[in-house]
Amino acid sequence: MKVLIVGGGGREHAIAYKVSKSSQVEKIYCAPGNAGIAELAECVPIGAMEFEKLADFAEEKGIDLTVVGMDDPLIGGIVDVFRARGLRVFGPDKKAAILEGSKAFSKDLMKKYHIPTAEYEVFTDAEKALKYLETAKMPIVLKASGPALGKGVLICQNLEEAKAGVKEIMLDKQFGDSGDEMVVEQFLTGREVSVLTFVDGKHIKLMSSAQDHKRAKDGDQGLNTGGMGNFSPTPFYTREVDEFCKKYVYQATVDAMEQEGRPFKGVIFFGLILTEDGPKVLEYNARFGDPEAQVVLPRLENDIIDVFNACIDGTLDQIDLKFSDDACVTVILASDGYPEKYEKGFPISGLEKFRGKEDYFVFHSGTKFGENGEVLTNGGRVLAVTARGKNLKEARAKAYEATEWIGFDNKYMRHDIGKAIDEAGEDVNV
Ligand code: GLY
């Protein structure tokens, strides 16, 4: 098989790694890819939003399967373009990707189908939003309804902050058109967990649980980012939580989408919060998480091509999805200043130290080749240094050991990824 992967971050590198392990795959292309993905795939300089060009390329090269890693092309309808041209593609179509593309849609869906989530209101008018906020209970959460690279969510402690938030999202349009509509949501407290799932329109299969670290700084301080580190499985995703979500959340979401005439095929990422009143859905994503993919996919034991095919063909019920009973931890090496202003273009040293080491991975998030073939930093998130261990503590120690192998100017990381594991006591592998 020839496989094309669309995207160029750490998630797509982890997908490429898993695809490269399939005996069915003879050649991998990635558009646009990055300097790390280039070790596994031929990178092609076509942007992820250039749907027709990508489809032309797939036709020209006789691609058997295209896997779309990124949210923006999915939300924009890349799958519809490929399907219309008779090209086989893994991911939700535009009608289904709205699950991530519009927070107002996903909240209304949860309300209609009684899927547990925070109380909310939707506004398209800033004046009305401000009036509502005057009597609302604080703290409160404001979310740009459209996609905003994980950054369009503001937690406001008081009315003054909430007013500034409305200005930022709806009036100043800091997140572009994504702020035309705004969700105002009850603030929930609890531990957040990520559950990635494969879905074939009707059936759903759960991947192993994971836990993100969204804030830029240690101790969950600083701004929201795409994710500064992750671990899998998370001991906080207990059997009790699993049973509750199987009963009220996962299949209920798939059925709701089918009933709405928007059958979902691809990956649904459930962002859950474990509150005192039980688990609730904080958000849905219509793709693998980044960096969730970097800790979950190395633990997947199936041939991923079989799973992609089953999702497309509606035969996921026949797949026995298996994960190894070890653990993975990933630490993001970022450019200092991310998610705000940062510099890029610095040479990266130490990448060769990962070669030939089965338990260590360096997934590239934002890298490119320099003129002389050297690898340079090219983004806010630069590398996802990942390690596997027999349990979370071992994986964490190994991941932090490996962060020391890498050098580049302005290297920044959190030092407390997986610290919560210490509080959890015994490892539980769900
Ligand atoms: N790590 C969170 C996300 O991928 O959206």
Side-chain angles (χ1 to χ4, degrees), residues 170-329:
M170 299 191 87
L171 300 174
D172 295 349
K173 294 277 162 69
Q174 292 288 327
F175 310 103
D177 296 349
S178 293
D180 286 351
E181 199 171 34
M182 186 180 74
V183 174
V184 177
E185 200 178 75
Q186 171 197 14
F187 176 72
L188 298 177
T189 49
R191 198 173 285 283
E192 289 181 34
V193 298
S194 307
V195 178
L196 275 53
T197 65
F198 287 107
V199 181
D200 73 357
K202 273 188 188 307
H203 311 104
I204 180 163
K205 290 272 159 111
L206 269 60
M207 296 181 229
S208 185
S209 61
Q211 187 155 333
D212 206 0
H213 296 67
K214 287 205 176 96
R215 300 297 193 96
K217 298 194 172 145
D218 283 9
D220 291 328
Q221 302 296 310
L223 294 172
N224 256 346
T225 69
M228 293 299 291
N230 218 299
F231 59 84
S232 172
T234 166
F236 302 102
Y237 187 78
T238 58
R239 298 213 178 274
E240 203 186 353
V241 173
D242 188 53
E243 272 162 28
F244 179 91
C245 294
K246 280 183 175 147
K247 206 161 162 191
Y248 299 109
V249 175
Y250 303 135
Q251 190 65 50
T253 301
V254 176
D255 293 347
M257 289 299 280
E258 200 188 4
Q259 283 196 40
E260 292 295 307
R262 299 173 183 271
F264 192 105
K265 290 181 174 216
V267 170
I268 300 183
F269 165 157
F270 293 82
L272 303 174
I273 183 159
L274 311 179
T275 74
E276 279 189 348
D277 300 330
K280 294 186 197 285
V281 178
L282 269 188
E283 62 174 6
Y284 293 116
N285 294 310
R287 34 94 194 156
F288 289 102
D290 188 344
E292 279 81 358
Q294 289 91 311
V295 285
V296 169
L297 291 182
R299 300 184 50 236
L300 175 66
E301 291 188 334
N302 304 67
D303 180 331
I304 200 164
I305 297 294
D306 292 339
V307 185
F308 288 151
N309 279 331
C311 290
I312 296 170
D313 296 334
T315 55
L316 195 58
D317 54 327
Q318 290 163 36
I319 296 276
D320 183 13
L321 207 59
K322 286 206 172 103
F323 286 84
S324 53
D325 59 10
D326 52 12
C328 267
V329 172

Side-chain angles (χ1 to χ4, degrees), residues 67-80:
V67 180
V68 185
M70 290 172 72
D71 37 358
D72 282 348
L74 291 167
I75 293 165
I78 188 172
V79 168
D80 308 61

Side-chain angles (χ1 to χ4, degrees), residues 74-126:
L74 291 167
I75 293 165
I78 188 172
V79 168
D80 308 61
V81 171
F82 271 61
R83 278 194 199 151
R85 291 176 61 166
L87 294 162
R88 198 167 169 80
V89 57
F90 173 80
D93 61 12
K94 190 172 181 172
K95 263 194 333 198
I98 193 174
L99 193 61
E100 171 163 3
S102 165
K103 293 191 173 69
F105 169 87
S106 67
K107 294 295 290 187
D108 289 346
L109 186 88
M110 288 186 263
K111 187 173 183 181
K112 181 168 172 189
Y113 292 91
H114 311 292
I115 297 164
T117 190
E119 300 289 321
Y120 73 102
E121 296 288 335
V122 177
F123 295 95
T124 49
D125 181 311

